[in-house]
Amino acid sequence: MRILLIEDDESLADGITTALRHQGHAVDHAGTGREGIALALAARPDLIILDLGLPDQDGIETLGVLRHRGVDSTVMILTARDQLSAKVQGLDAGADDYLTKPFAVDELLARLRALERRSGASRSAEIQVGNVVINTASHEVLLNGEAVKLSRREFSLLRALAERPGHILSREQLEDKLYSWGEEVASNTVDVHIHNLRKKIYPEFIQTIRGVGYKLGPGR
Amino acid sequence: MRILLIEDDESLADGITTALRHQGHAVDHAGTGREGIALALAARPDLIILDLGLPDQDGIETLGVLRHRGVDSTVMILTARDQLSAKVQGLDAGADDYLTKPFAVDELLARLRALERRSGASRSAEIQVGNVVINTASHEVLLNGEAVKLSRREFSLLRALAERPGHILSREQLEDKLYSWGEEVASNTVDVHIHNLRKKIYPEFIQTIRGVGYKLGPGR
DNA sequence: GGGGAAATTAAGGCAAACTTAAGATTCCGG
DNA sequence: CCGGAATCTTAAGTTTGCCTTAATTTCCCC
């Protein structure tokens, strides 16, 4: 998943970024509302995490601008515990969820998974496609009940495809989900990971649409 | 919206019920998990508010049973502030959101609006012409329910014609749809692809208007 | 029956995708 | 903080499938 973090506190931002990357997400970071808007328009993230206590402009205002410009990404706002009215405003201004500071990173991650699901197909942390079960919380993948060991990138790739089984994702779209701004790849990395995934699962599970991209197929 | 509240604390339940009804929602109330499951199956609510601290059975378990029985309503769970692991479990078990107790009723209402807004959209990417179904998302084409394997150009051609069934498109117009500027083609390519399409589907599906172009015909 | 339009056919060429392996990088335990 | 293991990226070589071309045949309308 591609995530944009708009947060001025450097150390907090670093912590969140690291945790998210560890989960296999592509993370872009903006330190101000203005910068955040620019990045949101350029990178088209799946999710935006927005701190309401920004220095250059009000967080709510930033959110308003984003929605006005047609950014329809899911938005989670971060706010201080006692700012109830701000939370309510935020939700009504187009945020999808909020988290009160301070929070545990595990909680943030769990919330993200919930949000991810709300817009996607599956209702629980498990996505099933054919005889393959993908657990987005534990990062476990089962093929006919047996565990398959995947690396981080392999898992991210599989998750991206599994969010909408049957839907085709181009190489470019897949790269966008895996790599943040500034760490783009310039090779056939995606091809290679797809190849390795096919070896670990089974070849027909991931189908190639020549000239278009890849999609998950039906069970064998 | 039809809402099911599963909450054992009578006075809290009364307060929430009143507030929700005030907003124009239909509210059912269950005091136990067992009762909640029965009501969920009977009433098919749009939203379920589930307290994790239930007397007769664990709230997480209740949620599991609901999802297992195919209840796909949006679920918001209520939990005590310090029960982090419970929240995380709940979200991963298929809840869409949670709220920590104690909370202000305004906050609950704002959350509901956010949830409501999210569950809209998603239009189908399918075009149907006669007994042929064209799925633009998966590039799948079904003839009487059976998959027909098309190449990229064949698919583009078919989609172009299917966008306006019955309308006549000239070769030139079709070429414009298939080829971007700078890669024009100088032969009877379109004819050839049309021919191959007819072989894969059935000849009468694509009709020739002599001297003008092609159009999609009615089912066989 | 004649001429132009459309259909048919087959083959060569080319770009997309696959495979492999080596070098770079990251991760993790001590 | 270091060294080995796992993983990731790059790039080159190979394979594959498709697209285009063009020559030939069939069809339709005047």
Side-chain angles (χ1 to χ4, degrees), chain A residues 95-96 98 107 117-118, chain B residues 91 96 98 107 113 117-118:
Chain A
D96 298 280
Y98 71 79
E107 191 171 347
R117 289 199 299 277
R118 209 182 291 164
Chain B
L91 289 170
D96 298 278
Y98 71 78
E107 195 171 344
R113 286 193 290 273
R117 195 179 50 247
R118 265 289 140 184

Side-chain angles (χ1 to χ4, degrees), chain B residues 6-180:
Chain B
I6 310 179
E7 166 65 62
D8 62 314
D9 180 332
E10 277 301 330
S11 69
L12 179 57
D14 277 0
I16 296 174
T17 303
T18 306
L20 291 175
R21 293 214 170 120
H22 227 84
Q23 295 288 312
H25 300 297
V27 184
D28 300 315
H29 172 227
T32 66
R34 191 174 301 277
E35 192 188 342
I37 291 167
L39 271 173
L41 292 170
R44 291 285 161 181
D46 303 297
L47 172 80
I48 298 173
I49 302 175
L50 171 65
D51 188 348
L52 285 192
L54 290 172
D56 66 334
Q57 59 178 315
D58 185 38
I60 299 275
E61 200 182 317
T62 302
L63 178 51
V65 173
L66 285 172
R67 290 294 185 226
H68 188 71
R69 295 277 194 96
V71 174
D72 64 349
S73 317
T74 303
V75 170
M76 166 172 285
I77 56 182
L78 304 181
T79 179
R81 173 143 297 170
D82 51 356
Q83 305 276 347
L84 174 57
S85 68
K87 290 182 216 165
V88 172
Q89 270 181 48
L91 289 170
D92 284 335
D96 298 278
D97 200 0
Y98 71 78
L99 202 55
T100 50
K101 291 196 281 193
F103 53 83
V105 177
D106 271 359
E107 195 171 344
L108 173 62
L109 295 177
R111 286 286 193 108
L112 292 191
R113 286 193 290 273
L115 280 176
E116 209 172 343
R117 195 179 50 247
R118 265 289 140 184
S119 56
S122 102
R123 67 185 161 75
S124 124
E126 291 193 343
I127 306 173
Q128 178 155 14
V129 181
N131 46 4
V132 176
V133 176
I134 302 159
N135 188 320
T136 53
S138 64
H139 273 218
E140 264 181 342
V141 174
L142 303 178
L143 167 61
N144 295 320
E146 282 195 40
V148 179
K149 197 170 168 245
L150 299 185
S151 76
R152 179 154 63 116
R153 293 260 127 102
E154 286 161 4
F155 184 85
S156 305
L157 204 50
L158 182 60
R159 178 174 50 193
L161 288 166
E163 272 166 7
R164 318 190 64 188
H167 249 251
I168 303 170
L169 289 173
S170 68
R171 269 163 245 270
E172 200 181 286
Q173 288 175 311
L174 290 170
E175 279 176 17
D176 285 348
K177 299 251 181 197
L178 297 200
Y179 304 98
S180 51

